[in-house]
Amino acid sequence: FFKYVENKQPYVTMKYAMTMDGRIATHTGASKWITGEASRAYVMELRNRHKGIMAGIGTVLADDPMLNCRIENGVDPVRIVCDSHLQIPLECQLVKTAKDIETIVCYAEENEEKQKALMEAGVQLIKAEKDGQVDLEKLMMELGSMEIDSVLVEGGGAIHGSFLTSGLVQKVYCYIAPKMIGGKDALSPVLGKGIEKMSDAVEITDVTVQNFGSDICVSGHMKQKKEG
């Protein structure tokens, strides 16, 4: 990717699946499955095309994902978890398979005992801290130095909100299923403080709409804000 060549930072793609009323999970956290098999199969293609895949600790705790590429002759991406306070369970699938699939945990708060246990399990650790949380810009620089030229962010609303606020996302894939969940406490795909005025909304350009069974996928590039 040109971005990696020019800036030595990964090209970042954000992907999520939601219902027609804009929810990624019920108020209990249940999310399997929002989209159909055709959509999920294409997500495996996306994983195969990216060097790394990233999730937040909330997704790991809620879903215990593998974050691997489940297609024939596919290549597993490097799995990256943003975990400011090292909450990741040693018994989760990511840690248990870290010696088979490259796995990185990025953290902010020191925990020597947990760090030692994770390293013994084969997990690589990156500290990138700012104000007690993972600093995504520092993390992107670190990943770039490790020759990870592209990252697919498949997290929850918190990490998506952080990436959007940081201006680090280049492309987004939004899968929409013809379902409705309802409920004020059902989970949304992008959280954080959000904007105050519609004029501050991030625009999506070069929009493409694809059908996957009864689902649709709207994708496009994030319009980058001009400096100054």
Side-chain angles (χ1 to χ4, degrees):
F1 290 107
F2 290 119
K3 176 178 173 58
Y4 177 73
V5 172
E6 292 177 358
N7 302 321
K8 294 300 180 184
Q9 289 190 40
Y11 184 94
V12 176
T13 302
M14 185 167 72
K15 168 265 163 186
Y16 56 87
M18 70 179 191
T19 58
M20 285 181 65
D21 55 343
R23 307 301 190 190
I24 62 171
T26 69
H27 70 92
T28 65
S31 61
K32 295 183 179 179
W33 294 102
I34 286 178
T35 52
E37 291 185 7
S39 294
R40 300 200 299 273
Y42 187 70
V43 170
M44 293 301 114
E45 296 287 347
L46 288 178
R47 291 183 181 185
N48 188 49
R49 290 181 354 217
H50 288 76
K51 188 69 176 289
I53 183 170
M54 184 180 295
I57 185 59
T59 296
V60 175
L61 294 175
D63 300 335
D64 191 19
M66 271 288 287
L67 301 180
N68 59 341
C69 180
R70 298 185 291 276
I71 58 175
E72 187 175 357
N73 300 318
V75 178
D76 290 323
V78 178
R79 304 176 304 185
I80 307 154
V81 179
C82 285
D83 182 10
S84 294
H85 309 297
L86 289 175
Q87 297 173 278
I88 188 168
L90 298 177
E91 64 275 12
C92 75
Q93 293 192 87
L94 293 174
V95 175
K96 289 195 295 185
T97 58
K99 291 182 179 178
D100 301 314
I101 305 174
E102 189 172 356
T103 304
I104 298 169
V105 171
C106 181
Y107 69 100
E109 184 179 287
E110 297 284 350
N111 182 330
E112 292 185 8
E113 183 178 347
K114 190 66 167 288
Q115 289 168 234
K116 181 180 178 182
L118 289 171
M119 288 188 290
E120 288 176 349
V123 175
Q124 300 178 55
L125 296 175
I126 294 176
K127 184 176 182 181
E129 185 270 340
K130 182 178 180 180
D131 300 326
Q133 301 294 321
V134 168
D135 186 318
L136 292 177
E137 293 190 22
K138 288 182 182 178
L139 176 56
M140 290 299 106
M141 293 297 294
E142 286 287 341
L143 295 178
S145 70
M146 298 169 67
E147 300 185 350
I148 296 176
D149 61 7
S150 55
V151 172
L152 178 64
V153 180
E154 279 195 52
I159 194 168
H160 290 163
S162 296
F163 264 96
L164 194 66
T165 300
S166 299
L168 293 169
V169 181
Q170 278 73 54
K171 190 165 187 178
V172 60
Y173 287 83
C174 171
Y175 292 83
I176 305 170
K179 302 175 182 177
M180 290 194 179
I181 289 175
K184 65 181 179 64
D185 295 323
L187 303 180
S188 298
V190 182
L191 298 176
K193 183 179 179 181
I195 61 171
E196 295 182 3
K197 300 176 293 182
M198 280 303 299
S199 59
D200 293 330
V202 178
E203 295 181 40
I204 311 299
T205 64
D206 306 315
V207 174
T208 299
V209 179
Q210 297 171 276
N211 287 88
F212 294 97
S214 59
D215 305 326
I216 65 170
C217 176
V218 181
S219 61
H221 294 92
M222 295 284 192
K223 186 175 181 180
Q224 301 300 314
K225 300 282 188 181
K226 293 183 179 181
E227 297 293 335

